[in-house]
Amino acid sequence: MSSLLKLFFIAVAAFSLVTCSEKDVNPNRDLTLDDFSTMRVSDYVVSLSRLKQHLDRQVRDDRDTVASDYFLRNYYQQGGRLLWVDRQGVDRRADTLLAYLRHVDKIGFSPNRFRVSQIEADLHRMRHLQFDTLHTASRVVARLEYNLTKSYLRYVTGQRFGYVNPRVLLNRIDLVDTARISLGYRTLFDVGMDTPNRAFYQRALAKVEADSVAVFLHDVQPVDSLYRRFAQMLQTTPPQTPAYSRIMANMERRRWRTHRHPQTCPKYVMVNVPAFMLTAVDGETTMQMRVGLGAVSTKTPLLVSDISRMDLNPQWIIPRSIIRNSVVRHIGDSAYFARNHYIVRERSTGKTVSWPHFTSEMLLSSAYSVVQKGGEGNSLGRIVFRFPNSFSVYLHDTSSRGFFRRAVRAVSHGCVRVERPYDLAVFLLADKAPSVKAKIQYSMTAMLARDGEAQADTLKRRMVIRSKSLDPVVPLFITYYTLYPDPQGHMCEYADIYGYDAVINRYLNNYR
């Protein structure tokens, strides 16, 4: 090393020693947290007491009546923990939820109904520390927490179960909504289906805490192919049009998670009320026929059951509503009762009451039944298809066949009248042996004696059958779709004869 270079290092070392010895003492080295109190800005402070106050205000100001909102308010009223916000702020769970909520317009809803704009604004304030007197940290955290939970529960509940509960909508509703006249309250829907409950809401919130929001949001989506087809149709249909509303109502029906579906049954019978059509499917074989259904004042209920038996030449036990509205006024008119083959029976004994003893009180009493004898001219026709249900309805033949030529066939008291009953009977049979089919056909056409009448000598008694059980039973679906594909896959439109689309869309407006 040269002498000149040695002198340079010595000079630098000497300068360093002088500099260190002359360094100023750090005036902040003894600071404590108390010394920062004068720098505290209240707008940026998250106070637990104020946060609780703001959450309570969110609960009080929320007047929405969506089912999940009741659980939401109860959760925070009872001191539920914060789900989305912690000491580190708000993480990707909120962003994952927003990714779904921003696209609710694709299913016909408004993002504003899921408070997307408010959530986005408050997220921005949180992440950029943009608080002020109007939007303090405590207020923003409370608002963000409440809105995220509210929108999350609304969305996952709606996608998993539907945004409308048909058990509430179609059972015990005042039918003034659909018929323009008040008909009181009736039960019109009996289909097994999943519905949201407290356990579901608790599980949904647990998914937030477990950071499983993304998986849960994916799992609650409808996977039905017809639902996806409706969703695609919605994208090319102008909003605020009847067609758009029709698609919305039928999309909602496909969100309902019913326990049984026609598509999962190899053999089934489906009646679509607005179409006035029955479709019978057995593997690759499909049969269709016209049906008559309940009038607006006596709607055919929607249900799922199993056709278990067919009765030939059945007697008709007249419903009490028909007795009250149509039969009792003919008391004293013996020709009316004889012409219609009506008799009166005592329920407890089964004995027939002779004509002179008929009274209005007797007909209206639950101790007696008015019965139409079986055979030709019976209102049920020559065959009835029985299935368990709580409405006392069934599929049956009819003695008045002219109405099948009408486009609108809402004519019955709730039962389903079928156009080709013999064809339906053969379809339902597992054993389609010629001898069995011949007996059914003969029993449906033979001139049978009624009670108290002489029986024709020409009757082939060995060919007459009164009942035929089905083994296995055949699933039956009575549904209501104003949009539904025909057997060839072409989408068909039908009139909303009972007004159910209108009622469903009125409820869906909570999200539009």
Side-chain angles (χ1 to χ4, degrees):
M1 183 180 295
S2 67
S3 301
L4 182 60
L5 189 56
K6 289 181 179 179
L7 289 173
F8 173 77
F9 280 113
I10 293 172
V12 170
F15 177 77
S16 300
L17 290 173
V18 171
T19 303
C20 290
S21 64
E22 294 178 359
K23 184 177 181 180
D24 294 335
V25 176
N26 182 1
N28 298 321
R29 68 181 182 181
D30 296 323
L31 284 178
T32 66
L33 289 176
D34 291 337
D35 293 309
F36 287 90
S37 60
T38 57
M39 302 173 62
R40 186 182 183 92
V41 179
S42 61
D43 293 346
Y44 285 75
V45 176
V46 178
S47 164
L48 290 179
S49 60
R50 291 180 182 176
L51 177 60
K52 180 64 167 62
Q53 291 174 358
H54 290 307
L55 268 176
D56 289 343
R57 186 172 294 113
Q58 291 286 326
V59 171
R60 290 196 304 271
D61 293 345
D62 191 347
R63 295 290 184 266
D64 289 336
T65 57
V66 175
S68 60
D69 290 337
Y70 292 108
F71 177 84
L72 166 78
R73 290 193 285 266
N74 187 61
Y75 174 79
Y76 286 113
Q77 282 176 329
Q78 294 185 354
R81 294 176 297 186
L82 300 184
L83 299 168
W84 305 87
V85 185
D86 57 24
R87 292 181 180 275
Q88 282 73 46
V90 185
D91 60 23
R92 66 175 183 268
R93 291 171 298 172
D95 299 301
T96 300
L97 174 60
L98 273 175
Y100 280 86
L101 298 182
R102 288 188 182 108
H103 293 94
V104 293
D105 58 325
K106 301 298 183 183
I107 55 175
F109 299 143
S110 168
N112 290 333
R113 293 291 188 175
F114 294 84
R115 304 193 175 186
V116 170
S117 296
Q118 183 68 71
I119 291 172
E120 289 177 331
D122 284 339
L123 268 178
H124 184 82
R125 291 186 181 97
M126 280 282 293
R127 287 170 173 170
H128 293 82
L129 300 179
Q130 294 180 348
F131 305 122
D132 53 38
T133 303
L134 183 61
H135 304 288
T136 65
S138 295
R139 180 178 284 113
V140 169
V141 169
R143 193 166 57 207
L144 187 59
E145 168 73 18
Y146 191 82
N147 285 337
L148 282 168
T149 307
K150 180 185 180 73
S151 299
Y152 170 71
L153 286 179
R154 273 192 169 196
Y155 182 79
V156 297
T157 304
Q159 292 299 99
R160 174 61 179 81
F161 302 101
Y163 294 86
V164 175
N165 185 341
R167 291 191 176 278
V168 175
L169 181 70
L170 301 180
N171 292 343
R172 297 195 58 78
I173 62 168
D174 191 338
L175 298 187
V176 70
D177 286 335
T178 58
R180 303 299 181 191
I181 56 175
S182 181
L183 302 170
Y185 293 92
R186 289 187 59 201
T187 298
L188 293 167
F189 185 91
D190 187 18
V191 179
M193 60 181 292
D194 296 340
T195 54
N197 54 25
R198 184 177 182 83
F200 171 80
Y201 297 135
Q202 290 174 332
R203 184 161 64 93
L205 297 190
K207 295 293 184 180
V208 180
E209 292 188 291
D211 195 10
S212 300
V213 171
V215 174
F216 194 62
L217 287 168
H218 175 271
D219 289 347
V220 298
Q221 300 301 319
V223 296
D224 179 73
S225 60
L226 186 54
Y227 175 84
R228 292 195 297 270
R229 186 172 177 182
F230 287 147
Q232 291 171 355
M233 293 172 62
L234 201 67
Q235 310 315 307
T236 58
T237 305
Q240 310 304 322
T241 62
Y244 195 89
S245 296
R246 184 183 293 111
I247 297 171
M248 287 288 292
N250 288 282
M251 278 184 70
E252 175 62 13
R253 292 184 178 102
R254 300 308 289 187
R255 291 189 192 99
W256 298 342
R257 303 298 177 94
T258 55
H259 295 162
R260 300 174 68 188
H261 308 273
Q263 292 75 16
T264 62
C265 302
K267 182 176 181 177
Y268 66 89
V269 173
M270 174 176 164
V271 174
N272 186 16
V273 172
F276 295 104
M277 292 294 291
L278 178 151
T279 302
V281 176
D282 187 359
E284 298 299 320
T285 303
T286 300
M287 176 181 68
Q288 285 193 306
M289 66 183 70
R290 298 181 179 188
V291 295
L293 296 155
V296 171
S297 59
T298 53
K299 296 175 173 61
T300 296
L302 309 183
L303 57 86
V304 175
S305 188
D306 296 292
I307 303 175
S308 57
R309 189 179 87 241
M310 39 190 166
D311 296 336
L312 290 101
N313 299 294
Q315 293 185 339
W316 180 37
I317 301 175
I318 303 175
R320 309 217 65 76
S321 59
I322 298 178
I323 295 173
R324 184 171 54 252
N325 297 327
S326 303
V327 178
V328 73
R329 67 174 180 265
H330 294 284
I331 198 73
D333 182 358
S334 61
Y336 169 83
F337 284 84
R339 182 171 62 252
N340 289 286
H341 306 287
Y342 288 166
I343 58 174
V344 177
R345 283 185 185 149
E346 188 176 14
R347 285 179 179 268
S348 61
T349 64
K351 293 181 179 179
T352 300
V353 180
S354 60
W355 162 251
H357 297 95
F358 286 8
T359 66
S360 299
E361 292 75 14
M362 183 182 294
L363 266 59
L364 294 173
S365 169
S366 60
Y368 294 87
S369 299
V370 179
V371 180
Q372 186 180 41
K373 300 175 184 178
E376 188 177 9
N378 185 280
S379 295
L380 301 183
R382 303 300 291 267
I383 188 169
V384 61
F385 304 92
R386 308 279 189 185
F387 48 90
N389 69 92
S390 57
F391 305 99
S392 297
V393 298
Y394 22 79
L395 277 63
H396 65 86
D397 182 20
T398 177
S399 58
S400 304
R401 309 193 61 78
F403 78 92
F404 284 116
R405 294 190 293 270
R406 304 180 196 172
V408 177
R409 298 181 289 278
V411 295
S412 79
H413 290 89
C415 289
V416 180
R417 303 178 185 180
V418 297
E419 181 183 25
R420 305 195 323 265
Y422 173 74
D423 291 344
L424 180 59
V426 172
F427 169 85
L428 294 172
L429 291 171
D431 175 13
K432 295 180 178 20
S435 60
V436 176
K437 294 192 292 184
K439 287 183 179 181
I440 292 175
Q441 188 171 45
Y442 182 82
S443 299
M444 290 178 63
T445 56
M447 294 298 295
L448 304 179
R450 302 178 191 272
D451 293 346
E453 298 177 1
Q455 184 164 314
D457 293 335
T458 57
L459 183 66
K460 300 177 183 178
R461 293 176 180 82
R462 64 179 182 79
M463 293 291 290
V464 176
I465 56 176
R466 292 292 184 182
S467 185
K468 177 66 177 176
S469 297
L470 297 177
D471 185 16
V473 298
V474 178
L476 170 69
F477 301 85
I478 301 182
T479 62
Y480 193 101
Y481 285 98
T482 53
L483 271 179
Y484 204 80
D486 64 15
Q488 291 71 43
H490 303 127
M491 191 63 72
C492 301
E493 298 180 4
Y494 306 106
D496 183 19
I497 60 167
Y498 290 166
Y500 291 168
D501 276 13
V503 178
I504 288 173
N505 275 298
R506 190 179 69 195
Y507 279 78
L508 291 180
N509 284 338
N510 287 323
Y511 304 93
R512 297 175 68 178

